[in-house]
Amino acid sequence: MEKGIEELYNCSLRKLSHALRKIKCVITAFNTNIDIVHFLRSGELERVISQCDRRELVKKIQKPKNKIFRNEDFLAGLLLSMKTGEGMEWIIKKKRVADWIRENFSADDYRMGGFAGITANALARLGVKTIYPHVPSLSELQVRLFIESDKIRIPVEAEGNLWFKKPSEAVRYDDEPLIHWIFEYRAGMEVGINEKRIVVPQPNRFIATWDEKNTRLYVDETFVKGVKKIIDEVDLALISGYHMMVESECFPKEDYLKRIRFTKRLLNEWKKTSDVKIHLELAFFADLNVLRATLIHLSETIDGISLNEGELAQCINCLGNRELSRAIIEGSKIEAFLEGLIFLIRKLSLEKVILHTKDFCIAISRKPVERDLLYAMIAGNCVAMAKAVTGKFCNIDEIREILKNKKVSLSVKGLKSFRSLREELNKRGCQPLGNLSFDMDKYILWFMPMKIVKNPLSTVGLGDCFAAGFSLLAY
């Protein structure tokens, strides 16, 4: 089986090369920002924890708020992420907490952040001819983080005219940089809280965000005008960013619904005037009410949605099936993932749902099926895996070389999960269509074990990279 999978990887890269010759333009929206990366060191969290109320911290870990009002909220989120090994993003609600983080942690690296910015860079490096990213704040530091800038175009208005320029020519010097703190941790790291110790099960990251634009799903007017001029040339629109909205006194329900409805109208306008396919990468939501509104409002507009296991559990929870959500979180069994995906695609009448985890990927698509999503999942894995191995965005030739690296291998857990899934589907009477795909009555299911690296150089934006690679072959 493993030998057959290796050939599928080679075939997927050939198909990806062919697709890149045909695809003209891609839009990436809506969130772009600057990531300040901090690599956690052994012992430093104990020093920071000593400044805080430990009893309150333990309570906040047990009953997390998923948003940050105090220093203890930030530490609770970080420690919860480390305890579970799950990537999370929490919104900072008070500027004094953002200032406290800057005082206590060093900036180890500055990177492109946000789905729109990360996917723009990934697609440019792969060789997509033209990418139009939405960039809420065009500060000098932000535009310097774009790569392959000759392929990236940003709409600029001046004296009543609109042009598309390279990022370096689109700087707005008065724009404030939008900063997100990324805390990367390694597997095996230990942190002591009172008499208890947290041992990190797998490498991942925690994101703490202070960002007045992306947290309100701000959409630049010049971007809207610019897209109208080029939408008939666009093949794909990759979107995300809804997860950053959190209901509060300053941003009530009416406001976040207004932002979701505005983007829905915008996306529908794109679809009316072109054949553009729209793919949503979900991300981790701090507010489940915002998640539910996003799913319900966008389900009729989008052509596909991708998410990880934690995000799948969130979706199931906010749509009313808490028992299944709990089974996904606590058991992490393949049967629960399968039930969750079936529940989601039926509940929202979606066309495609894709679950990407560190070890495997499952896609379910409503019949009739236009594309074999097996190759799309492999393309997504290749783009994300190359970023994990090198810490940078890679082109297809670089990805081919990385696949030969002995440090990269098929996940043993992924292969084991496939055997469990195959047994479950056989029990349900689902007919195999090939080694890795099955007929599920109204749907087709694909499964792919992921190629993984034991010690990734980067975990930030891997889901975004997956969505970029996947979408090029999925539509």
Side-chain angles (χ1 to χ4, degrees):
M1 182 193 215
E2 291 186 38
K3 187 176 180 181
I5 291 175
E6 292 295 338
E7 179 50 37
L8 287 172
Y9 268 80
N10 293 329
C11 184
S12 177
L13 289 181
R14 290 194 294 270
K15 287 179 178 290
L16 187 56
S17 294
H18 179 70
L20 287 167
R21 290 194 290 271
K22 294 174 64 178
I23 292 171
K24 294 179 182 177
C25 307
V26 179
I27 291 169
T28 64
F30 289 97
N31 53 322
T32 302
N33 59 266
I34 298 160
D35 284 346
I36 295 182
V37 183
H38 178 81
F39 299 101
L40 285 167
R41 286 90 165 168
S42 297
E44 75 170 324
L45 273 184
E46 280 90 345
R47 173 185 59 80
V48 177
I49 289 170
S50 67
Q51 304 175 28
C52 300
D53 185 330
R54 296 191 185 199
R55 188 173 299 176
E56 184 181 357
L57 177 56
V58 171
K59 288 181 182 178
K60 289 179 179 293
I61 294 172
Q62 293 170 343
K63 294 184 178 180
K65 290 183 177 180
N66 290 357
K67 54 193 86 167
I68 301 169
F69 293 91
R70 301 183 58 185
N71 301 345
E72 287 83 2
D73 293 323
F74 158 73
L75 288 170
L78 175 56
L79 291 168
L80 184 63
S81 177
M82 295 176 74
K83 181 180 179 180
T84 61
E86 183 182 342
M88 297 179 182
E89 180 170 4
W90 288 15
I91 307 302
I92 300 171
K93 306 300 291 184
K94 299 292 182 181
K95 187 176 184 298
R96 65 174 178 270
V97 180
D99 294 337
W100 178 83
I101 292 172
R102 184 180 288 275
E103 291 168 4
N104 284 276
F105 296 95
S106 61
D108 295 327
D109 195 9
Y110 292 89
R111 295 178 185 170
M112 174 62 73
F115 178 83
I118 290 171
T119 51
N121 275 348
L123 293 168
R125 192 73 180 121
L126 285 170
V128 172
K129 297 178 183 66
T130 310
I131 304 104
Y132 299 100
H134 177 253
V135 190
S137 177
L138 285 160
S139 67
E140 191 172 8
L141 176 56
Q142 184 72 77
V143 300
R144 285 209 307 265
L145 296 172
F146 282 104
I147 62 172
E148 304 277 350
S149 61
D150 57 319
K151 294 172 182 163
I152 295 172
R153 289 292 181 268
I154 294 172
V156 175
E157 271 190 303
E159 299 176 357
N161 295 313
L162 190 146
W163 297 275
F164 289 93
K165 296 191 174 185
K166 296 179 181 180
S168 60
E169 299 170 348
V171 179
R172 295 194 295 247
Y173 291 99
D174 293 333
D175 280 11
E176 181 181 354
L178 306 178
I179 303 294
H180 297 202
W181 280 90
I182 313 290
F183 293 87
E184 297 235 19
Y185 49 81
R186 306 183 308 277
M189 285 189 73
E190 296 187 25
V191 183
I193 312 172
N194 298 333
E195 296 177 359
K196 296 182 179 180
R197 295 198 71 77
I198 289 173
V199 180
V200 176
Q202 65 182 24
N204 217 317
R205 81 288 181 277
F206 177 76
I207 305 175
T209 295
W210 174 254
D211 179 339
E212 289 289 282
K213 284 191 172 181
N214 286 309
T215 52
R216 293 173 178 264
L217 199 66
Y218 167 84
V219 180
D220 187 79
E221 289 184 13
T222 306
F223 174 81
V224 174
K225 293 176 184 177
V227 169
K228 281 184 179 179
K229 298 187 84 171
I230 51 87
I231 189 62
D232 58 339
E233 301 173 9
V234 176
D235 301 286
L236 282 170
L238 310 183
I239 65 169
S240 191
Y242 298 86
H243 64 290
M244 298 185 66
M245 293 189 289
V246 176
E247 184 177 352
S248 66
E249 290 183 7
C250 299
F251 192 64
K253 180 178 180 180
E254 293 77 16
D255 285 2
Y256 73 70
L257 286 176
K258 184 178 179 181
R259 301 310 301 153
I260 294 171
R261 288 168 182 153
F262 171 78
T263 60
K264 180 181 179 178
R265 289 195 301 272
L266 184 63
L267 299 174
N268 283 332
E269 285 175 13
W270 296 353
K271 298 200 82 166
K272 281 180 184 178
T273 54
S274 75
D275 295 324
V276 63
K277 298 294 184 181
I278 298 174
H279 181 88
L280 170 67
E281 170 70 16
L282 205 58
F284 184 88
F285 278 69
D287 190 325
L288 292 186
N289 290 324
V290 176
L291 171 57
R292 190 173 189 276
T294 300
L295 293 172
I296 290 171
H297 281 81
L298 296 187
S299 58
E300 294 179 358
T301 301
I302 59 175
D303 296 285
I305 180 172
S306 54
L307 68 174
N308 66 25
E309 58 269 51
E311 295 152 13
L312 176 63
Q314 282 195 320
C315 289
I316 305 305
N317 185 9
C318 80
L319 293 172
N321 196 332
R322 293 185 179 180
E323 186 177 340
L324 178 55
S325 175
R326 195 178 303 113
I328 291 170
I329 295 170
E330 295 176 358
S332 294
K333 290 185 178 180
I334 199 73
E335 296 85 356
F337 292 143
L338 178 61
E339 284 297 327
L341 290 169
I342 293 170
F343 176 86
L344 193 59
I345 199 168
R346 286 177 177 169
K347 186 79 172 179
L348 298 173
S349 300
L350 296 166
E351 290 299 317
K352 295 182 182 73
V353 179
I354 303 91
L355 171 69
H356 51 77
T357 77
K358 181 176 74 73
D359 297 290
F360 60 83
C361 183
I362 304 174
I364 297 181
S365 183
R366 187 180 301 275
K367 291 179 180 177
V369 171
E370 296 179 358
R371 298 289 184 99
D372 187 338
L373 297 186
L374 202 62
Y375 297 107
M377 291 192 297
I378 293 171
N381 179 216
C382 284
V383 177
M385 176 266 302
K387 178 73 158 55
V389 171
T390 64
K392 64 179 185 178
F393 303 100
C394 297
N395 61 34
I396 290 182
D397 288 337
E398 290 167 334
I399 291 172
R400 285 197 180 97
E401 289 303 310
I402 291 166
L403 286 174
K404 299 173 186 176
N405 192 326
K406 291 182 179 179
K407 293 180 180 179
V408 175
S409 60
L410 279 172
S411 166
V412 173
K413 184 177 179 181
L415 291 166
K416 184 179 178 181
S417 295
F418 174 68
R419 288 191 286 271
S420 298
L421 177 68
R422 185 170 55 191
E423 289 176 11
E424 177 65 22
L425 291 172
N426 285 338
K427 289 177 187 176
R428 296 176 182 227
C430 300
Q431 296 299 313
L433 300 175
N435 288 333
L436 296 161
S437 57
F438 298 84
D439 189 321
M440 297 181 64
D441 190 18
K442 296 180 181 179
Y443 310 100
I444 302 295
L445 178 144
W446 295 265
F447 183 98
M448 176 52 62
M450 297 287 95
K451 281 185 175 281
I452 61 172
V453 57
K454 187 175 181 180
N455 295 306
L457 285 183
S458 174
T459 62
V460 179
L462 297 187
D464 301 343
C465 289
F466 175 90
F470 172 85
S471 299
L472 294 174
L473 289 184
Y475 300 104

